[in-house]
mmCIF file of all heavy atoms in Angstrom:
data_model
loop_
_atom_site.group_PDB
_atom_site.id
_atom_site.type_symbol
_atom_site.label_atom_id
_atom_site.label_comp_id
_atom_site.label_asym_id
_atom_site.label_seq_id
_atom_site.Cartn_x
_atom_site.Cartn_y
_atom_site.Cartn_z
ATOM 1 N N GLY E 1261 -20.034 -31.561 -11.184
ATOM 2 C CA GLY E 1261 -19.218 -30.996 -12.260
ATOM 3 C C GLY E 1261 -17.902 -30.437 -11.746
ATOM 4 O O GLY E 1261 -17.754 -30.134 -10.564
ATOM 5 N N LEU E 1262 -16.996 -30.300 -12.677
ATOM 6 C CA LEU E 1262 -15.641 -29.854 -12.362
ATOM 7 C C LEU E 1262 -15.657 -28.551 -11.560
ATOM 8 O O LEU E 1262 -14.836 -28.355 -10.670
ATOM 9 C CB LEU E 1262 -14.904 -29.649 -13.698
ATOM 10 C CG LEU E 1262 -13.400 -29.571 -13.747
ATOM 11 C CD1 LEU E 1262 -12.746 -30.754 -13.058
ATOM 12 C CD2 LEU E 1262 -12.961 -29.507 -15.212
ATOM 13 N N CYS E 1263 -16.560 -27.661 -11.866
ATOM 14 C CA CYS E 1263 -16.626 -26.352 -11.191
ATOM 15 C C CYS E 1263 -17.953 -26.216 -10.433
ATOM 16 O O CYS E 1263 -18.490 -25.112 -10.306
ATOM 17 C CB CYS E 1263 -16.462 -25.232 -12.203
ATOM 18 S SG CYS E 1263 -14.960 -25.351 -13.173
ATOM 19 N N LYS E 1264 -18.485 -27.325 -9.962
ATOM 20 C CA LYS E 1264 -19.745 -27.327 -9.212
ATOM 21 C C LYS E 1264 -20.889 -26.699 -10.021
ATOM 22 O O LYS E 1264 -21.772 -26.058 -9.468
ATOM 23 C CB LYS E 1264 -19.562 -26.590 -7.880
ATOM 24 C CG LYS E 1264 -18.610 -27.321 -6.945
ATOM 25 C CD LYS E 1264 -17.946 -26.473 -5.881
ATOM 26 C CE LYS E 1264 -18.830 -25.726 -4.939
ATOM 27 N NZ LYS E 1264 -18.032 -25.020 -3.902
ATOM 28 N N ALA E 1265 -20.795 -26.812 -11.345
ATOM 29 C CA ALA E 1265 -21.810 -26.279 -12.266
ATOM 30 C C ALA E 1265 -21.902 -24.761 -12.213
ATOM 31 O O ALA E 1265 -22.904 -24.179 -12.605
ATOM 32 C CB ALA E 1265 -23.186 -26.920 -12.018
ATOM 33 N N LYS E 1266 -20.843 -24.110 -11.754
ATOM 34 C CA LYS E 1266 -20.822 -22.644 -11.778
ATOM 35 C C LYS E 1266 -20.039 -22.108 -12.965
ATOM 36 O O LYS E 1266 -20.054 -20.907 -13.226
ATOM 37 C CB LYS E 1266 -20.191 -22.118 -10.490
ATOM 38 C CG LYS E 1266 -21.058 -22.339 -9.270
ATOM 39 C CD LYS E 1266 -20.429 -21.743 -8.048
ATOM 40 C CE LYS E 1266 -21.368 -21.884 -6.870
ATOM 41 N NZ LYS E 1266 -20.758 -21.358 -5.637
ATOM 42 N N GLY E 1267 -19.332 -22.983 -13.645
ATOM 43 C CA GLY E 1267 -18.494 -22.526 -14.749
ATOM 44 C C GLY E 1267 -19.109 -22.840 -16.100
ATOM 45 O O GLY E 1267 -19.322 -21.968 -16.916
ATOM 46 N N GLY E 1268 -19.401 -24.102 -16.321
ATOM 47 C CA GLY E 1268 -19.937 -24.511 -17.613
ATOM 48 C C GLY E 1268 -18.832 -24.803 -18.614
ATOM 49 O O GLY E 1268 -17.638 -24.752 -18.306
ATOM 50 N N SER E 1269 -19.288 -25.069 -19.835
ATOM 51 C CA SER E 1269 -18.372 -25.504 -20.897
ATOM 52 C C SER E 1269 -17.198 -24.563 -21.100
ATOM 53 O O SER E 1269 -16.078 -24.997 -21.353
ATOM 54 C CB SER E 1269 -19.175 -25.612 -22.203
ATOM 55 O OG SER E 1269 -18.311 -25.724 -23.308
ATOM 56 N N MET E 1270 -17.433 -23.272 -20.983
ATOM 57 C CA MET E 1270 -16.387 -22.310 -21.327
ATOM 58 C C MET E 1270 -15.380 -22.052 -20.215
ATOM 59 O O MET E 1270 -14.441 -21.302 -20.408
ATOM 60 C CB MET E 1270 -17.020 -20.985 -21.759
ATOM 61 C CG MET E 1270 -17.786 -21.088 -23.064
ATOM 62 S SD MET E 1270 -18.089 -19.496 -23.814
ATOM 63 C CE MET E 1270 -19.569 -18.990 -22.952
ATOM 64 N N HIS E 1271 -15.602 -22.645 -19.040
ATOM 65 C CA HIS E 1271 -14.730 -22.303 -17.902
ATOM 66 C C HIS E 1271 -14.159 -23.524 -17.186
ATOM 67 O O HIS E 1271 -13.908 -23.474 -15.982
ATOM 68 C CB HIS E 1271 -15.498 -21.411 -16.914
ATOM 69 C CG HIS E 1271 -16.013 -20.163 -17.553
ATOM 70 N ND1 HIS E 1271 -15.162 -19.203 -18.046
ATOM 71 C CD2 HIS E 1271 -17.266 -19.738 -17.817
ATOM 72 C CE1 HIS E 1271 -15.885 -18.224 -18.578
ATOM 73 N NE2 HIS E 1271 -17.163 -18.525 -18.460
ATOM 74 N N LEU E 1272 -13.973 -24.617 -17.915
ATOM 75 C CA LEU E 1272 -13.454 -25.823 -17.270
ATOM 76 C C LEU E 1272 -12.094 -25.528 -16.627
ATOM 77 O O LEU E 1272 -11.191 -25.002 -17.268
ATOM 78 C CB LEU E 1272 -13.326 -26.962 -18.285
ATOM 79 C CG LEU E 1272 -14.636 -27.457 -18.910
ATOM 80 C CD1 LEU E 1272 -14.354 -28.634 -19.841
ATOM 81 C CD2 LEU E 1272 -15.658 -27.847 -17.848
ATOM 82 N N THR E 1273 -11.987 -25.873 -15.352
ATOM 83 C CA THR E 1273 -10.792 -25.546 -14.565
ATOM 84 C C THR E 1273 -10.522 -26.685 -13.606
ATOM 85 O O THR E 1273 -11.450 -27.195 -12.978
ATOM 86 C CB THR E 1273 -11.043 -24.263 -13.740
ATOM 87 O OG1 THR E 1273 -11.321 -23.193 -14.631
ATOM 88 C CG2 THR E 1273 -9.826 -23.901 -12.882
ATOM 89 N N LYS E 1274 -9.257 -27.083 -13.499
ATOM 90 C CA LYS E 1274 -8.882 -28.040 -12.460
ATOM 91 C C LYS E 1274 -7.546 -27.594 -11.884
ATOM 92 O O LYS E 1274 -6.470 -28.049 -12.303
ATOM 93 C CB LYS E 1274 -8.826 -29.463 -13.012
ATOM 94 C CG LYS E 1274 -8.702 -30.490 -11.878
ATOM 95 C CD LYS E 1274 -9.072 -31.880 -12.322
ATOM 96 C CE LYS E 1274 -8.985 -32.851 -11.143
ATOM 97 N NZ LYS E 1274 -9.476 -34.179 -11.480
#
Side-chain angles (χ1 to χ4, degrees):
Chain E
L1262 197 53
C1263 304
K1264 294 157 58 176
K1266 290 183 176 178
S1269 167
M1270 293 198 276
H1271 303 295
L1272 296 183
T1273 299
K1274 191 162 182 174

